[in-house]
């Protein structure tokens, strides 16, 4: 949850020169508040993130909940928006994608952050809170998922999709297994048991990770993709930060986290075709650029993507997470609709995307996708 102590006028365009001096001092208090509410790694610098010169602010409060993968990006976006908009208070509870979608459907929050777009059944469930209209999924946060591990003296490993799948399916149980050693001849692999760490909560990061395993290594991963871990875990943890903390503490462990939670941990290079690709925003961007819209999208404004996790395109890093802001096409409350639109316009702006990228290593959306996002945000309105 991210509180604010800022104040400004509704709908009044604010320019950076008008608030920069006051915002720098106020941001220190904001960051203390965000950290106290459990947001790990709030904005690391002291200056507020840049905002568009023509940013229009709302007055009042706006609440969202969901993806822990978005947690650090959302902290950055809220800091930037609230440093410009003194009378706006934006709250985000990183309870996991499934929890965020449920709270949105129940009407407890105005938007959900989710690493898996709403499916048709969930869209139907949300129609009542959306005044009989559809939901819209906006891919506003694109980031690679890292396979992180803790082995003394080993900073990086090459892992093929089948190897990753067999490790997390608990078929490969020791670090010196020949399947790992074959692609890492220079690594000093110990005769040590592998401890696989997965998410304990209903997680969009898990859904993206298992989607990758099922498409890139179907023979080695005999499970359907989903937000719940499909087998009895060796070790589990809540949220991306929980997995990161567990892996950092436990020698011999391996897990999966959104890139901004890596914090200097050792990461795997992923096998793609005949090469191994290092995690990077640029390599992740290539996969997203080649992905079409999902066929079962609820409306023309729904931008949910059908990711090609099994790509063999050179230079691509296919273990990627596209995280969405899910909103109503129409809101029963006109003020809620305008508040959602104002905040999300900043989130998808070049300034908002660059601020998140600098903090988390995410991939800013390109101009083509931004135009589509803005058109969908503009289509949001009050229920007549």
């Amino acid at each position: 949850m991210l509180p604010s102590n800022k104040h400004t006028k509704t709908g009044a365009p604010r320019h950076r020169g008008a608030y920069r001096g006051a915002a720098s001092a106020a941001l220190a208090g904001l960051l203390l508040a965000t950290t106290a509410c459990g947001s790990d790694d709030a904005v690391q610098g002291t200056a507020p993130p840049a905002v568009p010169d023509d940013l229009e602010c709302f007055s009042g409060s706006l609440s969202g909940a969901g993806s822990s993968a978005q947690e650090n990006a959302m902290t950055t976006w809220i800091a930037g928006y609230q440093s410009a908009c003194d009378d706006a208070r934006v709250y985000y509870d990183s309870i996991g994608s499934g929890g965020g979608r449920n709270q949105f459907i129940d009407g407890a929050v105005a938007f959900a952050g989710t690493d898996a777009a709403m499916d048709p059944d969930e869209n139907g469930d949300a129609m009542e809170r959306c005044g009989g209209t559809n939901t819209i999924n906006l891919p506003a946060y694109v980031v690679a998922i890292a396979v992180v591990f803790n082995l003394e003296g080993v900073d990086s490993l090459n892992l093929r999709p089948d190897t990753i799948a067999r490790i997390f399916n608990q078929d490969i149980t020791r670090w010196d297994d020949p399947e790992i050693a074959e692609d890492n001849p220079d690594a000093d692999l110990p005769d040590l048991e592998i401890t696989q760490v997965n998410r304990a909560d209903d997680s969009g990061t898990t859904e993206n990770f298992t989607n990758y395993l099922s498409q890139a290594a179907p023979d080695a991963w005999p499970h359907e993709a989903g937000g719940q871990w499909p087998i009895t875990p060796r070790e589990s943890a809540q949220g991306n930060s929980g997995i990161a903390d567990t892996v950092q503490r436990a020698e011999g462990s391996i897990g999966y986290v959104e890139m901004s939670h890596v914090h200097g941990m050792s990461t795997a290079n992923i096998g793609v075709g005949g090469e191994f690709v290092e995690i990077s925003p640029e390599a992740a961007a290539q996969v997203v650029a080649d992905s079409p819209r999902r066929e079962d999208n609820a409306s023309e404004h729904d931008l949910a993507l059908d990711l090609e996790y099994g790509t063999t395109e050179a230079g691509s890093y296919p273990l990627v997470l596209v995280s969405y802001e899910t909103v109503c096409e129409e809101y029963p409350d006109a003020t809620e609709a305008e508040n959602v639109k104002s905040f999300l316009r900043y989130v998808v702006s070049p300034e908002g995307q660059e601020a998140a990228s600098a903090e988390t290593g995410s991939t800013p959306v390109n101009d083509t996708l931004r135009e589509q996002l803005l058109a969908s945000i503009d289509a949001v309105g009050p229920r007549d």
Side-chain angles (χ1 to χ4, degrees), residues 171-235:
D171 297 320
I172 295 176
T173 60
R174 305 197 72 80
W175 280 108
D176 61 350
D177 186 282
E179 191 167 329
I180 301 175
E182 180 180 358
D183 291 318
N184 299 278
D186 297 328
D188 185 13
L189 297 171
D191 179 12
L192 179 67
E193 189 174 22
I194 297 173
T195 300
Q196 301 87 351
V197 186
N198 60 263
R199 287 282 287 272
D201 50 326
D202 186 351
S203 159
T205 308
T206 295
E207 184 161 348
N208 280 269
F209 185 58
T210 55
N211 254 315
Y212 164 75
L213 295 176
S214 63
Q215 290 188 34
D219 294 335
W221 185 254
H223 312 286
E224 292 185 4
Q228 297 280 359
W229 193 249
I231 61 177
T232 301
R234 289 289 312 281
E235 191 72 43

Side-chain angles (χ1 to χ4, degrees), residues 33-338:
T34 60
T35 304
C37 280
S39 174
D40 53 328
D41 297 321
V43 183
Q44 293 174 0
T46 57
V51 298
D53 289 336
D54 59 352
L55 176 68
E56 294 192 0
C57 300
F58 70 80
S59 174
S61 63
L62 175 68
S63 295
S67 164
S68 68
Q70 284 192 39
E71 181 178 14
N72 295 333
M74 193 62 70
T75 302
T76 302
W77 289 325
I78 292 173
Y81 189 86
Q82 291 184 163
S83 67
C85 301
D86 294 340
D87 209 27
R89 295 176 299 280
V90 184
Y91 304 89
Y92 183 78
D93 193 0
S94 57
I95 58 174
S97 295
R101 294 195 302 273
N102 288 336
Q103 286 203 8
F104 174 74
I105 290 170
D106 292 341
V109 293
F111 70 94
T114 173
D115 307 336
M118 297 271 276
D119 63 33
D121 288 341
E122 290 173 316
N123 179 67
D125 293 339
M127 278 194 164
E128 182 177 352
R129 75 93 63 236
C130 291
T133 64
N134 290 309
T135 54
I136 297 175
N137 298 287
L138 303 170
Y141 183 62
V142 178
V143 68
I145 297 173
V147 175
V148 293
F149 61 91
N150 183 344
L151 283 178
E152 186 176 356
V154 181
D155 296 327
S156 181
L157 286 174
N158 296 326
L159 296 178
R160 299 184 187 276
D162 281 2
T163 305
I164 297 171
R166 284 169 50 77
I167 288 173
F168 279 94
N169 199 44
Q170 301 175 21
D171 297 320
I172 295 176
T173 60
R174 305 197 72 80
W175 280 108
D176 61 350
D177 186 282
E179 191 167 329
I180 301 175
E182 180 180 358
D183 291 318
N184 299 278
D186 297 328
D188 185 13
L189 297 171
D191 179 12
L192 179 67
E193 189 174 22
I194 297 173
T195 300
Q196 301 87 351
V197 186
N198 60 263
R199 287 282 287 272
D201 50 326
D202 186 351
S203 159
T205 308
T206 295
E207 184 161 348
N208 280 269
F209 185 58
T210 55
N211 254 315
Y212 164 75
L213 295 176
S214 63
Q215 290 188 34
D219 294 335
W221 185 254
H223 312 286
E224 292 185 4
Q228 297 280 359
W229 193 249
I231 61 177
T232 301
R234 289 289 312 281
E235 191 72 43
S236 61
Q238 188 84 10
N240 278 274
S241 56
I243 287 187
D245 290 343
T246 302
V247 172
Q248 285 178 312
R249 291 196 311 267
E251 171 78 7
S253 61
I254 186 170
Y256 55 94
V257 296
E258 175 267 324
M259 190 172 174
S260 75
H261 290 78
V262 169
H263 304 313
M265 286 188 289
S266 299
T267 61
N269 304 318
I270 303 300
V272 180
E275 64 178 345
F276 291 95
V277 180
E278 184 178 359
I279 188 170
S280 73
E282 295 75 21
Q286 185 167 327
V287 177
V288 176
D290 295 338
S291 296
R293 287 196 198 181
R294 204 174 61 182
E295 291 183 358
D296 59 358
N297 285 357
S299 77
E300 63 177 309
H301 303 301
D302 189 350
L303 303 181
L305 300 174
D306 188 8
L307 291 176
E308 184 55 54
Y309 296 97
T311 184
T312 57
E313 187 73 24
S316 295
Y317 185 90
L319 186 43
V320 65
L321 178 151
V322 174
S323 198
Y324 298 87
E325 316 309 332
T326 296
V327 301
C328 293
E329 198 162 38
E330 294 182 2
Y331 285 84
D333 181 87
T335 299
E336 188 174 47
E338 289 305 312

